[in-house]
Amino acid sequence: MRSPSHASVEMICRLVAFDTTSRESNLALIAFVKDYLAGHGVAADLVHDENGAKANLFATLGPADRPGLVLSGHTDVVPVDGQEWSSDPFQAIEHEGRLYGRGTADMKSGGAVVLALVPEFLARPLATPIHLAFSYDEEVGCVGVRRLLDELARRGIRPQACVVGEPTEMKVVRAHKGKLSFRCQVRGYECHSSLAPRGVNAIHYAAEIIAQLLRMGRRRETAGPFDREFDIPYTTIHTGLIHGGTALNIVPKDCWFDFEFRHLAGDDPLALFAEVKRFAETELLPHMRRIHADTGIAWQEISRFPGLDTDEDAPIVALAKSAAGANTTAKTAFGTEAGLFDRAGIPTVICGPGSIDQAHKPNEFIALDQVAECETFLRRLVEAVGRA
């Protein structure tokens, strides 16, 4: 097993120690990164959220008067609430060739390796600038990077390509699915449960909508459309949260649930949403309002981000494959900020250390040989760009 540098391991540990769960601020981590870069003579710009509680960071190594290569990643992590960890999730622990801690796989290790290699990158005569981009709130809908991309456009900064360091086991990924998510709120009519037929049970009607989503998902699973290059080769439909009711002996007035479409490029998520909305409003709502007029079904969009579909022949794909020593590329079901970079006109691929199978789980970890492989990949990548 190849071993990574001490600098990379130490940097991973430093970044993991910041609790950047999406509900928290990331400013302490961003301040650390800004100070670290300043110590190497690199200025960094911050692009804050509307409240000033979070920030993106953007910095450039090498000449700033020409288009460069972005190395991008997000700083936030998912919660550890309710998970059974064997150690402090915000204290990286090394054990038997692995580093354990929240964010080790998704995706502080990728960003940490970039930072650890900054002194090496600066020692090269870079013909092409290397841009570093660290964003906030990726885990809740790729929120922060949108402000960063808007600011870059305002300043006239148009990078030539981007590599997002999400966990791909260092495979070059050129495509991922898009996502569209909603909250459905069902308003029923309360009464004593002994008189249930005189009420409108919001949970029951929510369950019927969820069942329709399940049927739609099964149809996609069996009939497609399909893209066999994806690990999950069809659009998936998933309900992840539900809440309703106050007591067993009360017919519930309110119920809400959150659901999402993880869609292939050729599968329109708005058409899928229209299908489930039409079912609810034509099959269910009339029954509800026959019992009581003051009932309803409301929909609220939670988040959306576009898929990624970079052409196999794109220069960034060839560059990443060469740096990774790979002959092939892959597509993945999980979403990233890459689709937003691509939509902004910046050709993008995903390649980073760790496995998505470890992400969002208790005892999340990254194998140290993945960190070493990431170091090799980045050195080759920057060397190729430096002589461009």
Side-chain angles (χ1 to χ4, degrees), residues 73-152:
H74 63 86
T75 60
D76 61 317
V77 296
V78 297
V80 299
D81 307 40
Q83 294 185 338
E84 296 184 5
W85 284 73
S86 300
S87 59
D88 182 347
F90 297 106
Q91 182 69 45
I93 301 296
E94 183 176 345
H95 180 66
E96 295 184 348
R98 297 173 174 177
L99 268 180
Y100 291 85
R102 175 56 88 220
T104 50
D106 186 15
M107 60 157 293
K108 289 183 174 178
S109 292
V113 176
V114 170
L115 292 172
L117 293 180
V118 161
E120 290 187 31
F121 296 162
L122 292 172
R124 299 175 181 271
L126 293 171
T128 300
I130 302 297
H131 303 299
L132 310 184
F134 292 83
S135 65
Y136 66 87
D137 282 0
E138 187 270 352
E139 296 289 3
V140 292
C142 298
V143 174
V145 75
R146 300 170 198 260
R147 281 181 172 260
L148 176 59
L149 290 169
D150 287 345
E151 180 64 17
L152 295 183

Side-chain angles (χ1 to χ4, degrees), residues 190 203 243-254:
E190 287 176 316
I203 291 177
H243 178 80
T246 54
L248 181 58
N249 61 356
I250 301 174
V251 171
K253 177 183 177 182
D254 295 298

Side-chain angles (χ1 to χ4, degrees), residues 73-384:
H74 63 86
T75 60
D76 61 317
V77 296
V78 297
V80 299
D81 307 40
Q83 294 185 338
E84 296 184 5
W85 284 73
S86 300
S87 59
D88 182 347
F90 297 106
Q91 182 69 45
I93 301 296
E94 183 176 345
H95 180 66
E96 295 184 348
R98 297 173 174 177
L99 268 180
Y100 291 85
R102 175 56 88 220
T104 50
D106 186 15
M107 60 157 293
K108 289 183 174 178
S109 292
V113 176
V114 170
L115 292 172
L117 293 180
V118 161
E120 290 187 31
F121 296 162
L122 292 172
R124 299 175 181 271
L126 293 171
T128 300
I130 302 297
H131 303 299
L132 310 184
F134 292 83
S135 65
Y136 66 87
D137 282 0
E138 187 270 352
E139 296 289 3
V140 292
C142 298
V143 174
V145 75
R146 300 170 198 260
R147 281 181 172 260
L148 176 59
L149 290 169
D150 287 345
E151 180 64 17
L152 295 183
R154 189 187 68 80
R155 297 184 189 182
I157 299 173
R158 178 74 176 271
Q160 61 177 306
C162 175
V163 177
V164 175
E166 290 271 11
T168 66
E169 299 178 279
M170 296 311 301
K171 298 172 184 174
V172 178
V173 170
R174 64 178 184 86
H176 69 64
K177 294 179 180 179
K179 176 183 173 181
L180 177 63
S181 64
F182 284 91
R183 173 164 292 176
C184 177
Q185 295 175 303
V186 180
R187 186 179 69 255
Y189 181 67
E190 287 176 316
C191 69
H192 194 285
S193 62
S194 66
L195 304 173
R198 298 180 185 176
V200 177
N201 190 315
I203 291 177
H204 285 181
Y205 283 98
E208 291 205 56
I209 301 172
I210 293 170
Q212 174 66 8
L213 288 166
L214 182 60
R215 287 189 291 269
M216 291 167 59
R218 286 173 175 165
R219 189 172 74 236
R220 284 298 185 278
E221 183 177 0
T222 57
F226 298 107
D227 184 338
R228 300 296 181 184
E229 292 186 67
F230 278 94
D231 41 5
I232 306 294
Y234 49 87
T235 294
T236 57
I237 303 173
H238 161 74
T239 301
L241 286 172
I242 185 168
H243 178 80
T246 54
L248 181 58
N249 61 356
I250 301 174
V251 171
K253 177 183 177 182
D254 295 298
C255 182
W256 62 260
F257 62 93
D258 295 348
F259 64 98
E260 69 175 23
F261 306 105
R262 298 266 182 172
H263 59 92
L264 299 176
D267 208 359
D268 181 3
L270 290 175
L272 292 172
F273 171 64
E275 179 180 345
V276 70
K277 186 170 184 273
R278 184 168 56 250
F279 167 81
E281 294 180 353
T282 60
E283 299 294 326
L284 305 181
L285 197 54
H287 292 281
M288 296 167 63
R289 288 184 170 164
R290 273 199 293 269
I291 298 171
H292 200 281
D294 188 27
T295 57
I297 300 171
W299 313 85
Q300 175 189 352
E301 182 177 315
I302 299 172
S303 67
R304 72 166 77 190
F305 56 75
L308 173 72
D309 192 13
T310 302
D311 192 276
E312 182 74 46
D313 297 325
I316 185 57
V317 174
L319 180 65
K321 285 167 63 178
S322 176
N327 295 319
T328 60
T329 60
K331 299 181 179 182
T332 188
F334 69 86
T336 76
E337 297 169 334
L340 289 164
F341 277 98
D342 185 65
R343 180 164 288 188
I346 305 168
T348 302
V349 296
I350 313 160
C351 188
S355 170
I356 197 65
D357 287 344
Q358 300 306 321
H360 302 189
K361 292 181 178 180
N363 298 324
E364 178 182 349
F365 70 83
I366 189 166
L368 290 176
D369 58 354
Q370 282 281 297
V371 179
E373 194 172 339
C374 182
E375 290 176 333
T376 300
F377 169 80
L378 289 171
R379 288 177 176 130
R380 289 173 179 168
L381 191 70
V382 172
E383 180 181 5

